Amino acid sequence: RAWARLAAAPIRAGLRAAMGALGARFIFAPSIEAALRRAQRAAAPHRRYSFDMLGEAAFTAADAERYRGAYERAIRAVGAAIAHGGDADSYGVSIKLSALHPRYVFSQRERVMGELLPRLQALARLACHLRVPLTLDAEEAERLELSLDLLAALLADPQLRDWPALGLAVQAYQKRALAVLDYLLALARSRGCPLRVRLVKGAYWDSEIKLTQLDGLVDFPVYTRRAYTDVAYLACAQRLLSSAGWLVPQFATHNARTLADVLALADGFDGFETRGNHPGAEFQRLHGMGEPLYRCLAQRRERTAVRVYAPVGDAGALLPYLMRRLLENGASSSFVHRASHLAAAALAADPRRSAVRQAGNPHPRIARPAELFAPERRNSAGRDLSDPLQWSELMAALARSRTAPIEVRPLVASVGEMMRAAAAAVSRSAGRPIRNPADQDELIGRVYEADAPLTEQALQAAARFAPDWADSPVAMRAALLEHGADLFQREDAALVARIVREAGRTVADAVAEVREAIDALRYYAAQSRAHFDEDTRSLGPVVCISPWNFPLAIFTGQLAAALAAGNVVLAKPAEQTPASAALAVQLLHAAGVPDAALQLLPGSGGQIGMALVADARVKGVVFTGSTATARRIARVLASREPVPLIAETGGQNAMIVDSTALPEQVVCAALRSAFNSAGQRCSSLRVLCLQREIAPVILPMLEGAMRELCIGDPARLATDVGPLIDEAARQRIEAYLARRSTQVRCRTPLPP
């Protein structure tokens, strides 16, 4: 170990030196005081600065307070420099809103408006009093509405109504950019005071594309071709320059062609001329980038103002910022990258001509969300939970689900008078209540469980129909599953509502689960087409026993695989979640899956499941649940002829983190894995293993982020962690906590 440390020392020293060089290149100064001194030394006509306190989004309340303090110190320092003879337009401060609150997301809008807005107002009022220009930086697309809400609240503040130095960054690569500018123009006119707008191309393109694909949204919020973004930038520039002074443009670009086009537009509008006390347009560049371009501009247009976006902070905050810059400028389509190897003529090509040639078509190599798995299958469509309209649709579905109690009955194929008599006997029995785990006083409905006679009838129906289903064309079975997926998609809001109320899953988790069920139906349909033919042998009747923690996704995945392979299914859902399973079966029957090919047998206590497993007519078992139950099933099956058993059981999911990981990403991933579905699934994070050197950094961040989680009613958008499934689960967890409280958590003390 000592030799390993010795061998690693030169590597670490080299990395530190490299990071130091990068820091000197991309960080303007380590502190706001040093930044002001450097700016004053580099003073030049028409050069301005906007200081940005380096750092990513806050994860904890302590993070948010640290960033707030940094912004306040920066505003006071810049204000003092202005008071000592500096030009009020020479310096400004940029604020990242997500740094001021650990939960800056739409789902936490109530908290954000109640907690972040007062902090932002205090900073804005201070900046107004000290005559310091203040710009709200751009965030990801899903936060746009929240940013606009905060800006509107600031503009409505009587103390800020006549302040012309407040601004917002607008990203031209967002398809909503022009609409945002129209909204800002209306805000400026209504308050009777200009508003500054920093127009940028955009810095989160990769993540916007990937997240949209991951969430299965209708389309990307950003353009997929660089030419479209360049043209959109010019359209936004024209809108800004023609706003009659209500919107003060700040054009942030390192693209020589874009700069030339903006200058051509501005000459027609006299956009760079100062009018009275209101400044004209200006250009902006990032510190460490674009210097040759703007030196050339200064030689040709001495009076054109250029503002340097100057990051301020120590090297510890450099890495995330640096990675964004490298991704942005290292992309093959970026001007900075292309300028290193293309001729001047190619760099000067008009993006409008390119956009016309491409006729508005998206980039062919960037799959739209619905086409992510094409041509094999269509991707499931998700829900944008940052969209108030989509959220209201889900809330309406939840409201409708409460209008009438749900009755869950066995869905068994008819085989004559005996079955009708058995069904009548079940109907006369007292139904077991189904209650909302988030509110035990809320009765969702009742489940009428299958008894032994009805189970026998189901087995008879399955055995009789199994040869017909096995002989059915593979293409027909696949088409029925795909039709079922389409019905699931059409009724996704109803499925979400049922999962939320019966299983206690949050709305976000329920949306993801419905998508997983839809994907399972389409996946197994595609797999059957690819791998089965008319000679493929089926097993016969297959029992599918599913858990409550994925009441729709695992339930559907099990039966979809069995049906696609030509097996008839006897589905036994978890006793806690029969209503979600019943709705799934009803939709598949509506899609054309025969009643005898898919039967539902709700039950509790394990009697129905074990009776099915023990029956000689059952030719296969698919089970997801506890290891102990899987062993019982295996012992029962071992007592007769070999029967395939597919069992997915519990385990210990561990995350191993070394020092190369970004702490913010570690915390985000750990929270998602550990607390989605209230940690009630086998894939939930159980053990977090941290390299000793990084533990003192990550553990406080993780603890602080955990404190920000919202525990409550899963039907509320703000809820991150819903309830445990039932009283038995609560008792098991409390017993575990009691045992752990008496044990030593860490035998070796961590380094200070």
Side-chain angles (χ1 to χ4, degrees), residues 215-217 381-386 389-391 393-394 489-490 492-493 496 511 515:
D215 293 340
L217 304 186
R383 293 273 184 167
D384 182 0
L385 297 183
S386 68
L389 294 178
Q390 294 210 24
W391 175 246
E393 289 179 15
L394 294 174
Q489 193 72 77
R490 190 183 72 188
D492 69 329
V496 165
V511 168
R515 291 192 61 215

Side-chain angles (χ1 to χ4, degrees), residues 506-685:
T506 64
V507 173
D509 282 343
V511 168
E513 180 160 357
V514 172
R515 291 192 61 215
E516 187 175 342
I518 295 168
D519 285 333
L521 290 167
R522 291 179 178 154
Y523 172 79
Y524 287 115
Q527 291 296 301
S528 67
R529 285 196 182 99
H531 301 292
F532 296 161
D533 56 32
E534 308 311 324
D535 296 327
T536 302
R537 286 188 57 192
S538 302
L539 295 174
V542 169
V543 171
C544 294
I545 303 174
S546 56
W548 53 262
N549 55 355
F550 281 94
L552 184 72
I554 291 180
F555 177 83
T556 304
Q558 289 179 343
L559 63 87
L563 290 172
N567 305 300
V568 295
V569 172
L570 298 152
K572 162 60 178 68
E575 64 181 88
Q576 296 93 335
T577 54
S580 299
L583 181 52
V585 172
Q586 289 163 2
L587 289 173
L588 288 170
H589 285 167
V593 176
D595 292 354
L598 174 58
Q599 302 180 85
L600 180 73
L601 294 167
S604 59
Q607 293 89 345
I608 296 296
M610 295 310 296
L612 290 170
V613 168
D615 196 280
R617 287 164 290 188
V618 170
K619 303 303 180 183
V621 177
V622 182
F623 170 78
T624 301
S626 71
T627 303
T629 303
R631 286 174 176 153
R632 286 180 57 202
I633 293 172
R635 285 194 293 268
V636 171
L637 294 177
S639 66
R640 53 191 184 91
E641 75 277 6
V643 176
L645 167 63
I646 302 172
E648 180 189 10
T649 61
Q652 292 290 325
N653 185 18
M655 181 185 293
I656 301 172
V657 183
D658 67 18
S659 60
T660 64
L662 187 66
E664 290 83 0
Q665 289 185 339
V666 173
V667 170
C668 185
L671 290 181
R672 184 168 62 250
S673 181
F675 298 112
N676 279 18
S677 306
Q680 301 176 105
R681 54 191 190 192
C682 59
S683 57
S684 296
L685 176 62

Side-chain angles (χ1 to χ4, degrees), residues 291-307:
E291 287 120 324
L293 173 63
Y294 283 99
R295 277 199 302 269
C296 182
L297 175 67
Q299 292 168 2
R300 287 161 174 75
R301 295 179 62 111
E302 295 180 355
R303 296 178 58 81
T304 300
V306 177
R307 188 180 300 272

Side-chain angles (χ1 to χ4, degrees), residues 24-29 32 35-36 38-40 42-53 78 89-94 133 135 137 198 250-254 282-292 294-295 304-312 321:
R25 173 71 176 172
F26 290 101
I27 296 179
F28 191 70
I32 186 62
L36 283 166
R38 180 173 179 177
Q40 289 161 357
H46 310 294
R47 180 181 292 177
R48 302 167 179 173
Y49 293 90
S50 182
F51 300 113
D52 167 48
M53 302 301 105
V78 171
D89 251 349
S90 293
Y91 307 123
V93 174
S94 294
T135 300
D137 263 333
R198 174 190 293 152
Q250 299 174 325
F251 300 111
T253 181
H254 304 124
E282 67 180 33
F283 283 105
Q284 295 191 358
R285 68 171 179 86
L286 289 168
H287 166 67
M289 295 176 58
E291 287 120 324
Y294 283 99
R295 277 199 302 269
T304 300
V306 177
R307 188 180 300 272
V308 177
Y309 185 86
V312 176
Y321 174 81

Side-chain angles (χ1 to χ4, degrees), residues 206-239:
D206 299 81
S207 60
E208 298 287 11
I209 294 292
K210 293 301 180 186
L211 288 175
T212 304
Q213 291 174 329
L214 181 67
D215 293 340
L217 304 186
V218 174
D219 202 358
F220 301 112
V222 297
Y223 299 106
T224 56
R225 290 186 187 267
R226 183 64 186 223
Y228 297 165
T229 295
D230 291 342
V231 172
Y233 191 94
L234 297 180
C236 291
Q238 187 170 28
R239 191 70 56 90

